[in-house]
């Protein structure tokens, strides 16, 4: 029966493509220009990046820093102008456009923390009003992000996404929190959600280096918040169906900043901070080594005086953005240096990023963005490692495990190792959108994520009691992900606006290449900073894997009377991780959204509730086994 299912699916897909390939002809019209401003209704301040569009014409722009907008080539006649901005209630106004003339229209938007008119991006990459969704999508806007004093994505999500658990595992440089969304769990696979940056699937591994006692290096530590414009989070099968296999743990979409038309605008930000360790609950010498304290061999505050310190951080950021109606740009750079509250706990981050968007003509738009991050980390053994100085002193085993004759000598021994890690990461994404007609679009998008990290753990001669040989461990991990997507969609609306229909068809594919080399060298003749050519014994291992996953999807949404939305979709996935006994997986979805507050009878309920929506959805998604399982 499997071949029959495939043929029927392809037949349905062919029908949808045939429907999308025959859009109605659009008669040539004379055009005019629309100008205006968008401001906050309460404060009167200009609103930047508000989306101003003329529905049904394919024309639209974003407001500039002064809240102004200009839309050219607007068909003449009576037109509806619509303005949308996250956190504000959408507005629209009717205006008469005359051929060769300029018409003016201004908007004053009111804030709305739970706006059902908010625009979000769904799994098909198409902008959709929140009121039409039968599933939940959590959004962190640019205003929210700018007010949160954090530097990484995991910290950004903590406490701000319903149904999400974000547990900080460590404050060590290069580590990140564990992120889990409510829903399906897997015994074998990682629980970290799938992450996209500007449409590019990126590395989300929480374990990218050799263990140092329970704290793991994470790929999430490289995703900085400096240039994030918006974050959208989907959870559960019904919301993640069209993202395909591996989306059962949820999807995080990150959209970075773009330039806006206007003169070049420079932003410089310098931040300095310090951390003072809280030692109230830390065990010091009187509790763990009372005999040495009573004998006067060690100070009662030995660890406070010799181990803990005040941490410092300096973060400098510079960006420039601007452009014209035809092309916009945004370029930024960041330098960050941190010293932690423990010895050898430090990090340095260099990051540069650029984004470019060009309107080739009235129908074709090209955009590209890329960023490079170089991070260097230093740390100590920690947590469950016997070589962790903090643990051994707190439990009273410092002398036993070090073989030292005094606590000062023991501390010196535990501080001998050098654990250093360097990460180079490059993320690039680019796409082309072709507005074939005002109602029919086609797009293609591709991107690359490269992450290479090298960790060196040096245990010098004299560190391990009874084994004065020294050891060097080197862990190299190289990850490359390539993403490709192509889609087309057609939107139709009746003349009275009571019926609307959106259909999208697309293909997605991504390939992940992972290479790990782990080497250990022992028996060094001389102390110092060893290298493998100075080791008498060398052992090494290598692991490589390549995984390709591809899928094809169809998504249909029917909007009735601006209050009832029926949606359905299906995705067919195949992956090299499935194994020989599983050829493809089918992920269906269906949903309904009913905006009750748009009914005529709703205001008679007493006016206590301004918006009320009922929704329900069903969907399936997957979690494939790890490679070679």
């Amino acid at each position: 029966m499997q071949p029959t299912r495939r043929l029927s699916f392809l037949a349905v897909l062919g029908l949808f493509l045939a429907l999308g390939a025959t859009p109605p002809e659009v008669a040539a019209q004379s055009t005019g220009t629309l100008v205006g401003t968008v401001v906050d209704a309460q404060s009167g301040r200009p609103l930047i990046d508000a989306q101003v569009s003329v529905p049904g014409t394919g024309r639209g722009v974003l407001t500039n820093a002064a809240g102004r907008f200009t839309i050219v080539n607007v068909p003449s006649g009576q037109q509806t102008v619509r303005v949308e901005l996250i956190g504000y209630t959408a507005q629209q106004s009717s205006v008469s456009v005359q051929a060769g003339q300029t018409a003016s229209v201004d908007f004053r938007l009111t804030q709305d923390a739970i706006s059902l008119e908010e625009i979000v991006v769904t799994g098909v990459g198409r902008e959709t009003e929140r009121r039409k969704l039968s599933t939940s999508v959590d959004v962190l806007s640019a205003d929210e992000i700018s007010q949160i004093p954090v530097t990484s994505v995991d910290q950004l999500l903590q406490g701000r996404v319903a149904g999400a658990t974000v547990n900080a595992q460590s404050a060590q440089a290069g580590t990140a929190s564990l992120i889990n969304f409510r829903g399906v769990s897997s015994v074998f696979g990682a629980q970290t959600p799938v992450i996209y940056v500007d449409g590019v699937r990126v590395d989300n591994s929480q374990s990218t280096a050799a263990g140092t006692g329970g704290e793991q290096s994470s790929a999430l530590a490289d995703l900085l918040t400096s240039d994030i414009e918006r974050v959208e989070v989907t959870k559960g099968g019904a919301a993640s169906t069209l993202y395909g296999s591996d989306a059962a743990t949820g999807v995080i979409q990150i959209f970075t900043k773009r330039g806006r038309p206007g003169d070049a605008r420079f932003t410089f930000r310098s931040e300095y901070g310090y951390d003072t360790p809280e030692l109230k609950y830390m065990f010091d010498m009187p509790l763990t080594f009372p005999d040495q304290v009573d004998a006067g061999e060690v100070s009662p505050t030995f660890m406070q005086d010799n181990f803990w310190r005040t941490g410092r951080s300096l973060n400098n950021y510079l960006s420039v953005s601007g452009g014209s109606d035809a092309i916009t740009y945004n370029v930024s750079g960041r330098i960050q240096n941190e010293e932690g509250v423990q010895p050898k706990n430090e990090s340095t981050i260099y990051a540069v990023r650029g984004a470019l968007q060009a309107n080739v003509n009235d129908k074709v738009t090209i955009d590209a963005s890329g960023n490079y991050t170089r991070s260097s980390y230093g740390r100590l053994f920690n947590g469950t490692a016997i070589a962790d100085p903090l643990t051994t002193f707190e439990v009273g085993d410092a002398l036993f495990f070090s073989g030292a004759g005094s606590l000062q000598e023991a501390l010196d021994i535990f501080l001998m190792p050098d654990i250093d890690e360097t990460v180079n990461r490059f993320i690039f994404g680019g796409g082309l959108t072709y507005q074939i007609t005002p109602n029919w679009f086609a797009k293609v998008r591709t991107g690359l994520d490269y992450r290479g990290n090298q960790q060196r753990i040096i245990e010098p001669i004299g560190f391990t009691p009874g084994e004065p040989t020294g050891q060097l461990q080197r862990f190299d991990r190289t990850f490359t992900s390539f993403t490709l997507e192509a889609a087309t969609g057609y939107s139709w609306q009746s003349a009275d606006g009571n019926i609307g229909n959106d259909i999208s068809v697309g293909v997605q594919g991504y390939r992940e290449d992972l290479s790990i080399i782990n080497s250990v060298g022992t028996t060094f003749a001389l102390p110092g900073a060893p290298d493998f050519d100075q080791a008498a014994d060398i052992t090494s291992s290598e692991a490589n894997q390549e995984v390709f996953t591809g899928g094809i999807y169809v998504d249909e949404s029917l909007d009735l009377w601006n209050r009832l939305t029926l949606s359905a979709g299906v995705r067919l996935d195949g992956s090299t991780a499935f194994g020989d006994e599983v050829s493809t997986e089918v992920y269906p979805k269906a949903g309904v959204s009913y905006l009750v507050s748009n009914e005529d009878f709703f205001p008679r309920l007493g006016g206590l509730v301004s918006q009320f929506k009922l929704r329900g959805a069903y969907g399936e998604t997957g979690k494939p086994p790890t490679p070679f399982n």
Side-chain angles (χ1 to χ4, degrees), residues 138-162 164-168 175-181 193 195-197 206 220-233 252-257 269 334:
D138 294 284
V139 179
L140 294 179
S141 66
D143 287 341
E144 292 178 276
I145 296 172
S146 65
Q147 296 173 16
I148 302 173
V150 298
T151 58
S152 62
V153 170
D154 59 309
Q155 297 170 344
L156 185 65
L157 299 176
Q158 196 166 28
R160 296 177 180 89
V161 177
T165 302
V166 183
N167 293 323
T175 63
S177 302
L178 297 180
I179 303 176
N180 288 288
F181 292 152
I195 299 178
Y196 285 86
V197 177
Q206 290 278 20
L220 301 185
D222 312 324
L223 303 179
L224 308 177
T225 61
S226 305
D227 292 293
I228 293 180
E229 178 74 22
R230 189 174 80 259
V231 177
E232 296 183 5
V233 178
I252 300 173
Q253 289 199 91
I254 298 173
F255 303 90
T256 60
K257 295 178 181 177
R269 183 171 63 248
R334 171 179 173 179

Side-chain angles (χ1 to χ4, degrees), residues 250-512:
V251 178
I252 300 173
Q253 289 199 91
I254 298 173
F255 303 90
T256 60
K257 295 178 181 177
R258 294 290 190 265
R260 296 185 296 270
D263 296 334
R265 292 177 291 276
F266 293 85
T267 300
F268 175 74
R269 183 171 63 248
S270 182
E271 301 170 349
Y272 175 81
Y274 68 91
D275 297 324
T276 301
E278 174 55 69
L279 305 179
K280 181 178 180 180
Y281 300 103
M282 294 292 177
F283 295 166
D284 216 317
M285 298 300 99
L287 290 174
T288 54
F289 295 95
D291 296 338
Q292 286 83 349
V293 173
D294 293 340
E297 298 176 6
V298 66
S299 166
T301 57
F302 174 78
M303 290 294 285
Q304 179 178 339
D305 299 335
N306 294 276
F307 185 80
W308 299 104
R309 66 184 183 182
T310 299
R312 294 176 174 82
S313 64
L314 177 63
N315 183 6
N316 293 314
Y317 171 83
L318 175 65
S319 71
V320 56
S321 64
S324 63
D325 292 335
I327 186 170
T328 59
Y329 62 89
N330 184 298
V331 181
S332 65
R334 171 179 173 179
I335 300 176
Q336 177 177 310
N337 291 286
E338 291 187 347
E339 293 181 356
V341 296
Q342 298 180 11
K344 296 189 175 182
N345 184 287
E346 54 196 19
S347 67
T348 301
I349 298 176
Y350 301 94
V352 292
R353 178 188 170 275
L356 188 70
Q357 180 168 316
N359 298 318
V360 179
N361 52 44
D362 293 344
K363 295 185 176 182
V364 178
T365 300
I366 298 176
D367 69 276
S369 64
N371 71 275
Y372 169 73
T373 304
R374 178 178 175 85
S375 309
S376 301
Y377 307 116
R379 65 176 69 131
L380 293 169
F381 283 106
N382 50 74
T384 59
I386 294 177
D388 172 22
L390 182 59
T391 300
T392 55
F393 271 85
E394 283 199 318
V395 301
D397 291 333
L399 296 176
F400 175 79
F401 285 118
S402 66
S406 68
L407 291 173
Q408 181 62 61
E409 182 184 354
L411 180 60
D412 293 340
I413 290 175
F414 283 117
L415 296 181
M416 289 176 66
D418 290 314
I419 304 176
D420 300 306
E421 184 173 354
T422 302
V423 180
N424 289 285
R425 188 163 194 177
F426 175 73
I427 301 175
F428 170 81
L432 181 148
T433 300
Y434 179 30
Q435 197 70 39
I436 304 172
T437 72
N439 298 329
W440 184 27
F441 78 89
K443 70 171 186 177
V444 61
R445 190 160 199 86
T446 186
L448 174 73
D449 177 26
Y450 168 84
R451 187 180 190 273
N453 64 287
Q454 179 190 115
Q455 183 190 60
R456 292 170 61 91
I457 303 176
I458 301 175
E459 301 176 13
I461 295 175
F463 172 69
T464 304
E467 297 180 9
T469 61
Q471 175 176 294
L472 166 64
Q473 179 179 5
R474 175 169 165 174
F475 188 96
D476 286 19
R477 178 182 184 270
T478 303
F479 175 92
T480 305
S481 173
F482 179 76
T483 306
L484 179 63
E485 175 184 1
T488 183
Y490 184 75
S491 300
W492 173 85
Q493 191 171 36
S494 62
D496 57 9
N498 288 332
I499 302 177
N501 184 71
D502 294 295
I503 184 171
S504 297
V505 181
V507 293
Q508 293 177 333
Y510 61 90
R511 171 174 169 158
E512 295 180 349

Side-chain angles (χ1 to χ4, degrees), residues 469-472 520-524 532 534-539:
T469 61
Q471 175 176 294
L472 166 64
V520 178
T522 58
T523 312
F524 291 88
F532 281 108
Q534 301 172 5
D537 301 310
I538 300 175
T539 59

